[in-house]
Amino acid sequence: MEREKLGLVLIILGVAVWPTALVLNIATRTALALHLSLVIPGVLLRGSRLLRKLRRK
């Protein structure tokens, strides 16, 4: 699987944590930790304009 596709999948799963957490009554802190643990690596794998700008400086 390509890096960009894997990153996109991780971002989508990270966003999907919130509705799942609401349905399952998971604590906000736990949902936030899960969300960030999926979204941050996803953004790093996929890349973004902001990351490119930060790396140039």
Side-chain angles (χ1 to χ4, degrees), residues 1 6-7 11 15 17-18 23 28 34-35 39 51-52 54:
M1 194 178 250
L6 180 59
I11 291 170
V15 171
V17 165
W18 290 108
V23 169
T28 304
L34 250 158
H35 170 78
V39 170
L51 287 176
R52 278 183 247 141
L54 289 174

Side-chain angles (χ1 to χ4, degrees), residues 8-52:
L8 184 61
V9 168
L10 287 174
I11 291 170
I12 291 169
L13 288 174
V15 171
V17 165
W18 290 108
T20 307
L22 289 174
V23 169
L24 298 176
N25 293 326
I26 296 174
T28 304
R29 281 186 182 177
T30 306
L32 181 61
L34 250 158
H35 170 78
L36 292 176
S37 67
L38 291 169
V39 170
I40 291 174
V43 169
L44 292 175
L45 281 174
R46 188 170 177 271
S48 70
R49 287 186 215 146
L50 179 62
L51 287 176
R52 278 183 247 141

